[in-house]
Amino acid sequence: LIADPHEAWVFEVTYSKHWIAKRVPDNEVAIIPNYYVINDFDLSDTLNYLSSPDIIEYAIKNGWYDPKKDQSFNFRKVYGRTDRQEATFNIARKWVILNKLSEKQYQPGDDFPFSFKPKQKVNIQDLMEIVQNHYEGTQFCNKPSAGGSPHSTRIDTLTVCNGLNDYSCITQLRSWLPPDVGNIMWIAPRYPCIQPFIPWYYGITEISTDFEKIAYPDALQNYNIKIAGYKKRYPGHACWVFDEFAVKVDSCYNNEIKQVRKWKADFETDIFKTLTSKETEIVNEYKSNPGEARQMLTVLSDYFAEKALNDTKKMLMNLKNTSR
């Protein structure tokens, strides 16, 4: 997904180094599981479609598409792998979110749209709720573990919020505010169903040392070097606390999830109340002193990051372990 505060595009690349992109229409939602979602394609409409120049010719050359026999060119079907298109974990994750947001309700075997107009305006809280989904109340709902956890690591039963989540991210782009303030990366460490989303503003000048592996100049220099043994290399990093908390909650999910969810809900309510009051002050400061405004954003993001970490440490000590 490529987006700015004014538009969003879905960009898909094939093994053959060919690519295609389609603009998400205004006021619509696109859902992308682990398969191609771009279907129809109009070469002449370059405001809404872009691609490698021979995207259709290459498919014809390889026998994947016959314009004389087949219907109109459908990138998803022509270039997509059947095992991905038909995989339950892909279909179910797209289907459950689609039916949460769409006025029209779909069956798992239906041909899902590339994008659609939601039944009502979608806000950040709606998205935070959606990414916590475990197929509750549907035929895809997992059989809980001994402790009651719905988090599976089996590919065929992956939920939206699943045991393989390292974190969940929602990027908010607001065109009516200065970019430093208007663009936020909301991150819930590990499981989004048990951790509050922390707001990281685009304009921050640094992040809390508990969340930083190395300073950004070193990170830029070494970003492509694969280093194993992260826990030994960064033993004090915040991610290990969130990981341990997720494991502990999974072990006693039925007993503890109610209080964990209440803490998360209260935490996020406090965040939104604080941001509503603080952002006006920061935007006003930004007009005359952008540097000071960025520092205020840094303090704000770090405050909630550290609070989430410290609260998690306290809850971790109080959780009653049962069986895993």
Side-chain angles (χ1 to χ4, degrees):
L1 184 67
I2 299 175
D4 67 18
H6 302 285
E7 62 180 349
W9 289 70
V10 174
F11 173 69
E12 298 183 323
V13 183
T14 74
Y15 281 124
S16 60
K17 298 183 180 178
H18 286 71
W19 61 272
I20 190 170
K22 181 176 179 180
R23 184 178 179 274
V24 180
D26 293 341
N27 302 313
E28 295 201 8
V29 174
I31 304 166
I32 311 167
N34 286 72
Y35 63 60
Y36 296 141
V37 296
I38 296 176
N39 39 32
D40 63 301
F41 181 61
D42 184 353
L43 274 168
S44 64
D45 182 4
T46 55
L47 290 177
N48 295 292
Y49 301 88
L50 295 169
S51 76
S52 300
D54 64 336
I55 192 76
I56 295 177
E57 288 77 4
Y58 188 79
I60 295 172
K61 177 183 174 182
N62 283 277
W64 305 330
Y65 172 61
D66 185 343
K68 294 180 180 178
K69 293 192 329 186
D70 300 332
Q71 296 179 338
S72 58
F73 178 78
N74 184 312
F75 174 79
R76 180 172 64 85
K77 293 181 178 179
V78 170
Y79 276 87
R81 284 169 44 178
T82 304
D83 62 333
R84 290 284 180 171
Q85 304 286 343
E86 297 176 355
T88 301
F89 73 92
N90 274 331
I91 293 171
R93 285 186 296 159
K94 180 159 184 171
W95 169 78
V96 76
I97 297 175
L98 182 61
N99 280 356
K100 288 278 186 185
L101 298 178
S102 172
E103 188 74 53
K104 178 183 175 180
Q105 296 295 283
Y106 292 83
Q107 295 300 317
D110 291 346
D111 192 14
F112 301 146
F114 166 77
S115 63
F116 61 95
K117 290 186 183 299
K119 56 189 172 186
Q120 60 191 35
K121 189 172 182 179
V122 180
N123 60 32
I124 289 295
Q125 290 91 332
D126 293 329
L127 297 178
M128 290 177 177
E129 179 65 31
I130 284 168
V131 296
Q132 300 177 54
N133 190 274
H134 307 113
Y135 302 143
E136 289 90 348
T138 77
Q139 67 265 43
F140 297 109
C141 189
N142 285 334
K143 181 181 178 181
S145 68
S149 170
H151 300 119
S152 171
T153 56
R154 285 175 48 197
I155 292 294
D156 59 333
T157 58
L158 280 186
T159 48
V160 179
C161 174
N162 63 68
L164 299 179
N165 280 149
D166 285 328
Y167 62 91
S168 187
C169 175
I170 299 171
T171 306
Q172 183 181 17
L173 309 171
R174 298 175 292 177
S175 61
W176 60 93
L177 292 170
D180 285 341
V181 185
N183 301 329
I184 306 176
M185 183 179 289
W186 296 86
I187 295 180
R190 204 60 167 94
Y191 296 158
C193 69
I194 65 171
Q195 280 294 336
F197 278 84
I198 301 165
W200 299 92
Y201 282 88
Y202 177 73
I204 62 176
T205 59
E206 59 186 0
I207 63 173
S208 164
T209 54
D210 288 320
F211 288 78
E212 183 182 63
K213 287 180 179 171
I214 53 178
Y216 78 89
D218 295 325
L220 285 173
Q221 193 171 19
N222 300 313
Y223 76 97
N224 205 30
I225 299 174
K226 308 299 182 214
I227 302 173
Y230 279 109
K231 195 160 190 175
K232 185 176 180 181
R233 192 175 178 87
Y234 309 110
H237 197 279
C239 68
W240 308 123
V241 175
F242 298 120
D243 182 65
E244 186 181 355
F245 183 64
V247 171
K248 194 74 175 286
V249 170
D250 273 346
S251 74
C252 50
Y253 196 89
N254 282 341
N255 295 335
E256 303 291 348
I257 191 59
K258 188 173 180 180
Q259 70 152 337
V260 171
R261 285 285 184 93
K262 183 181 185 307
W263 163 71
K264 170 182 162 62
D266 291 346
F267 195 112
E268 288 177 347
T269 297
D270 182 44
I271 287 176
F272 283 107
K273 283 175 63 177
T274 302
L275 265 53
T276 298
S277 62
K278 287 286 186 181
E279 280 187 354
T280 301
E281 178 186 351
I282 293 171
V283 169
N284 288 334
E285 182 67 30
Y286 194 90
K287 294 173 184 176
S288 58
N289 192 342
E292 179 59 28
R294 293 188 189 100
Q295 185 57 36
M296 293 166 71
L297 291 172
T298 302
V299 171
L300 190 58
S301 288
D302 279 359
Y303 167 76
F304 284 114
E306 287 297 321
K307 188 175 188 304
L309 177 60
N310 291 329
D311 282 6
T312 301
K313 287 178 179 178
K314 291 176 185 175
M315 295 186 69
L316 189 54
M317 294 174 62
N318 296 326
L319 287 178
K320 298 181 179 68
N321 200 6
T322 55
S323 60
R324 181 151 168 77

